[in-house]
Amino acid sequence: MAPSPLSSIVPVILSGGSGQRLWPISRELHPKQFINLISGQSMFQETAARLKGEPFSRPLVVCNDSHRFLVAEHLGDAGIEPNAIILEPSHRNTAPAAALAALILMRSDPDAVMLLAPSDHVIAKPEAFLAAIPIAAEAAAMGKLVTFGITPDRPATGYGYIQKGDAIDNIDGGFTINRFVEKPDAATAEKYIAEGNYYWNGGIFLFSAATYIKTLEGLRPDMVSACRKAVDDGRDDLDFFRPDTAAFESCEGESIDYAVMENTAIGAVVPVDMGWHDIGSWESLWQIGEKDADGNVT
């Protein structure tokens, strides 16, 4: 049964960073999402706080085992009680992480709707993002796998792009996807900006858990089988859930984009100008920081 667009949406926060970017302040045991880079809160806390209140229910977090106490501490300090904290035995990218979350949510609610969000992105216009959620939920209720297309403000070469297709009937602001394209060169990026129907791929998704698992099972049955066994043979450990290590590590790592979105006919995109930034380098942090008279950011 398709989920109602008015159903509660479970935020699934992906927090599996390895701390390799923004070194030396970001390190393997304390990656950048747990650092107060932009405000008085960590980016992880900002992500969780942004997805609090209607229409969201309590968040589910997928993180590295070594970060479990950081996740619990940052949620507690922000006054947010999680639905669950899932500990990945190994990093296997976003498609298996989302599968773990979907399978766990479906155990208690077969019609669960999930919003998949990385924990280390900045959204400077959260009201625009929240306004796009009901549009995406309507498309998800129609059985779509929805991604949010970030309105580009420059011909960036460090992001993948999404070309939007036709408008989806009866959903104002929802579109089919013509294609995903890899990180372009400068000339191609300028062409995309000029055409006006290309958006940055920010890696934020909204869909029914059941639709995601069904689609992934059709494309990568090995991945679903491994994740299902990892959940079935997993165990609770205090406030955490540990998927079975052997089962999960038998799963091949792949992103949702490669495993699913580039290979399905039910993808949809909701374009949104939400002041999105992927803080992946010192330069990107400088770009959004408050600069002094000499152009320096402290």
Side-chain angles (χ1 to χ4, degrees), residues 10-11 13 44 48 52 57-62 68 71-86 105 239-241:
V10 182
I13 301 174
F44 178 89
K52 183 179 179 182
S57 61
R58 292 183 298 142
L60 183 154
V61 181
V62 184
R68 63 192 184 281
V71 165
E73 177 187 349
H74 281 239
L75 288 174
D77 289 347
I80 297 172
E81 182 182 357
N83 178 310
I85 300 175
I86 304 172
L105 290 174
D239 296 330
F240 310 104
F241 179 78

Side-chain angles (χ1 to χ4, degrees), residues 2 14 52 119 124 137 147 183 188 192 205 242 249 254 257 272 274 285 289:
L14 302 180
K52 183 179 179 182
S119 62
T147 186
K183 298 174 183 178
T188 304
Y192 290 162
F205 302 91
R242 293 184 178 276
E249 290 185 344
E254 201 159 16
D257 302 279
V272 57
M274 57 180 164
L285 187 60

Side-chain angles (χ1 to χ4, degrees), residues 61-139:
V61 181
V62 184
C63 70
N64 294 347
D65 179 271
S66 57
H67 300 156
R68 63 192 184 281
F69 295 123
L70 274 173
V71 165
E73 177 187 349
H74 281 239
L75 288 174
D77 289 347
I80 297 172
E81 182 182 357
N83 178 310
I85 300 175
I86 304 172
L87 307 181
E88 285 185 299
S90 299
H91 180 63
R92 287 295 185 269
N93 217 316
T94 54
L100 288 178
L103 291 165
I104 287 173
L105 290 174
M106 289 168 63
R107 294 196 300 184
S108 57
D109 181 6
D111 298 324
V113 178
M114 51 194 281
L115 173 70
L116 201 70
S119 62
D120 57 355
H121 291 176
V122 171
I123 295 180
K125 303 175 185 177
E127 67 286 345
F129 176 49
L130 294 176
I133 298 294
I135 301 170
E138 286 187 49

Side-chain angles (χ1 to χ4, degrees), residues 19 23 25 37 50 60 70 92 122 229 233 248 263:
W23 187 88
I25 67 164
L37 288 173
R50 193 161 49 237
L60 183 154
L70 274 173
R92 287 295 185 269
V122 171
K229 183 170 176 54
D233 294 350
F248 189 69
N263 301 297

